Amino acid sequence: MKAVAMRSLYLAMAKASHFKSKRFDVFIEPPLLQNFNVFDTKKSRDVFRVGYEYTHQMAPDLEKLR
């Protein structure tokens, strides 16, 4: 039962994020973040690292948006 509730919450959050992303000039969503559970705070450093590295790789493209 807990797994179903967690999955439902995750899907609702994903849908809301996708809807809101259409209002942004830039929306950064590293694909590797799919490997993490949003509620697993013990992996927060890993999540940060994935986001940082992905954004760093996108830096040249982001600079073009100025």
Side-chain angles (χ1 to χ4, degrees):
M1 186 67 159
K2 181 180 175 184
V4 172
M6 295 288 281
R7 180 73 176 149
S8 296
L9 180 59
Y10 176 76
L11 289 173
M13 290 170 44
K15 183 177 180 180
S17 293
H18 180 73
F19 177 74
K20 289 178 183 178
S21 72
K22 297 190 183 305
R23 293 187 272 165
F24 305 140
D25 292 329
V26 176
F27 185 73
I28 299 172
E29 188 175 24
L32 288 178
L33 288 183
Q34 294 176 5
N35 298 333
F36 295 93
N37 180 332
V38 70
F39 300 106
D40 189 359
T41 57
K42 293 178 183 175
K43 303 233 175 158
S44 60
R45 289 182 189 265
D46 295 329
V47 169
F48 179 84
R49 180 186 46 77
V50 166
Y52 178 84
E53 290 175 1
Y54 185 79
T55 304
H56 188 70
Q57 290 174 0
M58 292 182 63
D61 295 327
L62 296 172
E63 286 292 328
K64 293 176 187 174
L65 297 175
R66 287 183 172 210

